[in-house]
Amino acid sequence: MRLRSIVVMVAMAMPLASPGVAQDRPARLTEEDYARAERALAATTQALVTGQPVRPTWLADGRFWYRAQRGAGAEYLIVDPIRKTRGAAFDPSKVAQALSRAADTTIAAPTLPAVEISATTTGLQLGFEIGNRRFRCDPAGVRCEPAPRVRPDRASVASPDGKQAAFIRNHNLWVRDLATGHERPLTTDGREDYGYATNNAGWVRGPNPVLVWSPDSKKIATFQHDARKAGMMYLVNTAVGHPTLEAWKYPLPGDSAIFTIERVVIGVPTSQTVRFQMPAD
């Protein structure tokens, strides 16, 4: 009799609990909710931000260029530090028209794809990639033509003069002569978890070195990255088949030991390292 009473009491309570459970459920997301969130992403909002810090890209002739957001469009400016001049690197409207003709599509100046600018003996040259195709254009927007695609070597950084490339090997920084293929070390005291130009910020990492070449291709500014006391991060890939383990240094909030870097400048011809007389960052 007691069991029967308990069953009746539970059955009577269930309808009373249902409205409360339903009220706790989140509202169903609609297609418009996702569209509104998408409109807040960087691809849409970045054009609304102007006056961002300049990110200069040095050319082999000692000049540098940078992109500046101007309302709905952008300016591409080139600076000559020796002559103290600054001007437009190219006309985005004319180049967009020439690129549209060459690619048989419609490209507007505000939506030009990422550009690569290089200095040649005859002047500046622009490079664009559209899908799987690459194009070479002149800055006046007179001509754009197909160009062979060059797969970037993300494990090295080429010098401004295009003659050398810096890369990491065995925790040290090396350079390769791009004409002969000859390789030589710039540093020799790097070791595990205390290497040069290491690309590991914890949440982002990669094989490419983190460094900046001087405009004359004779010096490299970089750092020695100290991760010896930092904790480890472990991730297990659970794809089909045997799982794989990823492990790398990754400081977390609350850790007493984090990454530090010691800033250095390396003379490329002499392999001489100058260490800044300052505390590690």
Side-chain angles (χ1 to χ4, degrees), residues 193 200-205 225 227 229-235 247-253 255 257-259:
D193 300 327
N200 180 14
W203 64 95
V204 292
R205 55 197 171 96
H225 184 275
K229 297 180 180 180
M232 297 293 294
M233 172 62 72
Y234 300 98
L235 288 181
W248 72 99
K249 292 287 187 173
Y250 190 159
L252 295 174
D255 287 357
I258 62 172
F259 292 151

Side-chain angles (χ1 to χ4, degrees), residues 9-10 23 25 59 63 73 82 102 112 115 202 216 244:
M9 291 174 63
V10 171
Q23 291 175 1
R25 291 175 181 172
L59 301 175
R63 295 180 295 171
I82 303 300
L112 267 176
V115 60
D216 61 5
T244 57

Side-chain angles (χ1 to χ4, degrees), residues 42-215:
T44 305
T45 59
Q46 189 172 8
L48 304 177
V49 180
T50 61
Q52 299 183 64
V54 171
R55 294 184 178 182
T57 300
W58 290 92
L59 301 175
D61 60 6
R63 295 180 295 171
F64 68 85
W65 68 274
Y66 66 94
R67 180 182 184 274
Q69 188 67 36
R70 298 285 187 259
E75 285 184 328
Y76 299 84
L77 302 169
I78 189 164
V79 177
D80 189 328
I82 303 300
R83 298 180 180 178
K84 298 181 180 181
T85 60
R86 183 184 66 174
F90 62 91
D91 187 328
S93 298
K94 292 182 179 179
V95 171
Q97 293 174 7
L99 191 58
S100 298
R101 292 191 298 269
D104 193 22
T105 186
T106 300
I107 300 172
T111 58
L112 267 176
V115 60
E116 298 175 5
I117 301 179
S118 57
T120 68
T121 55
T122 58
L124 295 181
Q125 181 176 278
L126 315 180
F128 298 94
E129 286 199 7
I130 301 176
N132 293 324
R133 297 180 296 169
R134 183 176 177 83
F135 296 89
R136 183 169 48 229
C137 305
D138 69 286
V142 175
R143 184 183 71 261
C144 282
E145 58 188 12
R149 293 193 68 195
V150 179
R151 179 175 294 181
D153 180 7
R154 301 190 184 279
S156 65
V157 179
S159 59
D161 61 10
K163 296 180 179 180
Q164 303 175 90
F167 63 97
I168 297 172
R169 175 179 290 163
N170 297 330
H171 317 295
N172 282 292
L173 196 62
W174 288 57
V175 288
R176 177 186 302 114
D177 188 300
L178 295 178
T180 65
H182 176 69
E183 299 175 345
R184 62 183 177 88
L186 294 178
T187 65
T188 57
D189 60 335
R191 54 190 182 274
E192 187 175 5
D193 300 327
Y194 192 36
Y196 286 90
T198 307
N199 185 6
N200 180 14
W203 64 95
V204 292
R205 55 197 171 96
N208 54 301
V210 180
L211 56 86
V212 177
W213 284 88
S214 63

